[in-house]
Amino acid sequence: MKIAIIGTGYVGLVSGTCFAETGNNVTCVDIDKVKVEKLSSGQITIYEPGLEKIFLRNIKDERLRFTTQLEEAVEDAEIIFIALPTPPGADGSADLTYVLGVADHLGKILNDYKVIVNKSTVPVGTADKVSAAISKNYSGEYDVVSNPEFLREGVALDDFMKPDRVVVGTKSERAKQLMSDLYAPFVRQGNPVIFMDKQSSELTKYAANAFLATKISFMNEIAQLCERMGADVDMVRRGIGSDDRIGKRFLFPGIGYGGSCFPKDVQALIKSSDEVNYEFEILKAVEKVNANQKLHLVEKIKAYYNNDLKGKHFALWGLAFKPNTDDIREAPALSIIDALILAGATVTAYDPEAMPNVKAQIGDKIQYAANQYEALQNATALIIATEWSEFRTPNFERMEKEINNKIIFDGRNLFDLTNMKDLGYHYESVGRSNA
Ligand SMILES: NC(=O)c1ccc[n+]([C@@H]2O[C@H](COP(=O)([O-])OP(=O)(O)OC[C@H]3O[C@@H](n4cnc5c(N)ncnc54)[C@H](O)[C@@H]3O)[C@@H](O)[C@H]2O)c1
């Protein structure tokens, strides 16, 4: 099949590469010229484990191309995917400028029946808005389909190639057939392609992310209780997670959810609810809990140093909003950096993949280390903000040579409390007693 992908970021590049891998001819479009030049010359623009290998293979086999020209990409395409940003607008609702701008452009260049698939996360009613924008200039046949994306950065390839489910919102039999054919190689193990109406499909994505954000915030509140009551959140997590109705996943407390999706999608669903005169009270609380949790570790640090961080220097392990990605959008590490600097402290950070993105965003506001051990030099204490595997099992002997003070504030509960005590560390984590 011939496919066009509009927007070649985290979702567009992974989707395009995976569709090429299953034998389709894919052209990815982006307005960012530098990005398109890099991709065309075989340089991958995001860090996503396993992606580079199949990206290069499909470029070599001429199934994957990149362009800045929308016309060139959509001319022969049977299916056109929209994978554009939907950032929060000033009032918190999803900003549809990118999506509707492209829809308007598509209306001017469509020449034949095509399926336009919205993969961006968009509020209920957007598919109809996209249709209206296309119809202004195009009176031929086409279908607009909702197909929200559920991939997780860091494991995106696996998520895309073997999805738990594929959700498709359309009532058009013609579009259903094309979407079934396209996704057939991805659901060979029997995972469902769930067809539904567009509104339900659009809402499914928000419901999924809002539910997961709620689960995280719930556990963060349980962690707060654990700290006050002398309980251990790891034990409580294991105790409740073994109940099938609850499940083991997404029960890890930490320093608040971040990333490009949960914060904006929770905000957008609250806003969409307001628009239909429904106050989504749980989600409002989830947002509030998360905002507090993002600064919880800094509060602990301040308490330990009697509210005086002036002149203190912190080593920070982890900048990405989660491991195995270079994405720093809404990363809790950035909130921690801001709070520390505001309090008069300085920071040297290390992250295996995200440092170039942080440098581009905040420059020399902090210093950057060549590795996790170098970051420890002259530090008052170590702060851990992202659970990269290499931080889980550090070389403690090497750490001891670099670190001045054996003090760790761990936002990801990486280490065993007894081990840390035996090693002589003052070790504070989330929802676990230091005793
Ligand atoms: N990142 C994720 O993990 C994830 C997962 C599921 C869903 N989503 C949703 O998918 C959508 C895209 O997210 P993303 O993380 O891939 O965003 P991104 O910012 O990484 O990528 C978007 C790309 O679109 C390009 N672009 C902007 N305007 C354009 C235009 N007019 N024509 C062509 N290209 C244009 C940008 O240059 C950028 O490369 C969002 O709605 C997001 O909520 C993201």
Side-chain angles (χ1 to χ4, degrees):
M1 246 183 250
K2 287 187 176 152
I3 311 279
I5 309 268
I6 310 173
T8 314
Y10 286 88
V11 168
L13 185 59
V14 171
S15 313
T17 305
C18 292
F19 284 137
E21 180 70 3
T22 50
N24 300 291
N25 281 314
V26 179
T27 305
C28 296
V29 195
D30 206 286
I31 43 164
D32 183 335
K33 280 200 187 104
V34 176
K35 192 178 269 191
V36 168
E37 269 163 28
K38 277 189 181 165
L39 291 166
S40 299
S41 65
Q43 280 180 67
I44 198 137
T45 45
I46 55 170
Y47 174 74
E48 185 58 50
L51 184 62
E52 189 168 20
K53 193 172 153 203
I54 62 167
F55 160 80
L56 290 173
R57 179 166 61 223
N58 283 284
I59 293 179
K60 186 167 154 273
D61 293 348
E62 296 180 355
R63 283 191 300 264
L64 184 60
R65 297 184 311 119
F66 302 91
T67 179
T68 52
Q69 301 304 309
L70 188 63
E71 287 84 343
E72 189 188 319
V74 305
E75 198 177 12
D76 298 329
E78 297 160 85
I79 307 184
I80 301 166
F81 280 89
I82 295 175
L84 293 164
T86 47
D91 64 355
S93 61
D95 178 355
L96 295 177
T97 317
Y98 298 89
V99 171
L100 296 180
V102 162
D104 190 65
H105 194 169
L106 283 175
K108 293 174 185 150
I109 57 177
L110 288 186
N111 51 6
D112 204 354
Y113 174 79
K114 295 184 197 296
V115 178
I116 294 106
V117 185
N118 196 1
K119 239 188 196 321
S120 295
T121 302
V122 290
V124 173
T126 303
D128 292 339
K129 288 184 183 166
V130 168
S131 292
I134 293 172
S135 294
K136 271 195 294 177
N137 296 298
Y138 178 65
S139 52
E141 283 185 297
Y142 68 94
D143 279 306
V144 175
V145 167
S146 160
N147 171 220
E149 181 49 56
F150 297 98
L151 66 77
R152 293 162 298 166
E153 288 173 17
V155 282
L157 218 56
D158 239 28
D159 282 350
F160 200 93
M161 296 304 282
K162 292 180 226 149
D164 288 341
R165 75 322 202 172
V166 175
V167 169
V168 178
T170 181
K171 289 288 174 206
S172 154
E173 290 303 323
R174 196 172 177 184
K176 267 188 202 170
Q177 191 56 54
L178 276 169
M179 295 298 282
S180 293
D181 293 347
L182 178 67
Y183 275 110
F186 300 91
V187 292
R188 284 174 55 237
Q189 286 169 345
N191 290 345
V193 178
I194 308 173
F195 288 102
M196 57 180 81
D197 59 277
K198 291 175 214 165
Q199 289 84 343
S200 304
S201 167
E202 288 168 335
L203 189 54
T204 296
K205 174 66 192 178
Y206 281 107
N209 275 359
F211 186 78
L212 293 170
T214 304
K215 208 170 170 188
I216 294 173
S217 283
F218 179 83
M219 274 318 277
N220 282 334
E221 293 220 272
I222 293 292
Q224 293 276 358
L225 282 188
C226 288
E227 287 179 11
R228 286 162 177 78
M229 295 174 169
D232 182 336
V233 74
D234 273 347
M235 294 300 123
V236 178
R237 173 176 63 75
R238 287 171 61 189
I240 65 171
S242 45
D243 183 330
D244 279 349
R245 293 171 302 174
I246 295 171
K248 293 183 175 58
R249 296 167 75 187
F250 265 79
L251 291 182
F252 292 83
I255 42 176
Y257 59 76
S260 67
C261 292
F262 287 178
K264 88 170 166 62
D265 293 349
V266 167
Q267 214 183 348
L269 189 54
I270 290 173
K271 187 68 193 158
S272 292
S273 309
D274 285 347
E275 281 164 11
V276 291
N277 298 320
Y278 183 74
E279 196 170 346
F280 207 140
E281 295 191 42
I282 291 179
L283 279 191
K284 287 185 176 169
V286 165
E287 265 197 325
K288 198 168 151 212
V289 168
N290 199 57
N292 290 339
Q293 196 70 17
K294 273 186 154 184
L295 292 173
H296 183 51
L297 202 62
V298 174
E299 277 158 18
K300 286 182 178 213
I301 298 168
K302 283 185 176 163
Y304 184 76
Y305 293 107
N306 294 322
N307 231 357
D308 181 14
L309 299 188
K310 262 200 204 81
K312 305 245 173 333
H313 179 68
F314 292 95
L316 177 63
W317 283 5
L319 293 166
F321 84 95
K322 65 175 184 178
N324 297 318
T325 181
D326 58 355
D327 197 343
I328 57 159
R329 291 177 282 186
E330 301 280 332
L334 298 179
S335 308
I336 291 174
I337 289 173
D338 282 345
L340 292 175
I341 288 178
L342 192 69
T346 51
V347 176
T348 295
Y350 172 72
D351 186 285
E353 294 294 337
M355 289 195 295
N357 285 342
V358 173
K359 266 185 204 168
Q361 192 167 309
I362 64 169
D364 57 7
K365 209 165 148 183
I366 60 169
Q367 290 172 293
Y368 304 89
N371 59 58
Q372 70 199 78
Y373 303 101
E374 189 186 296
L376 299 172
Q377 289 168 6
N378 305 315
T380 310
L382 165 64
I383 301 170
I384 302 175
T386 316
E387 65 274 38
W388 284 92
S389 320
E390 63 195 87
F391 300 158
R392 280 184 193 279
T393 47
N395 180 337
F396 281 108
E397 278 175 26
R398 193 167 165 199
M399 272 179 81
E400 207 144 313
K401 286 187 193 131
E402 306 286 0
I403 205 160
N404 285 350
N405 305 295
K406 288 174 115 180
I407 303 171
I408 301 180
F409 298 96
D410 178 1
R412 301 296 182 180
N413 290 2
L414 298 192
F415 306 132
D416 180 77
L417 295 178
T418 315
N419 276 353
M420 297 314 284
K421 204 171 175 188
D422 292 349
L423 287 168
Y425 277 88
H426 172 83
Y427 176 62
E428 295 197 31
S429 52
V430 182
R432 304 189 297 177
S433 151
N434 292 317

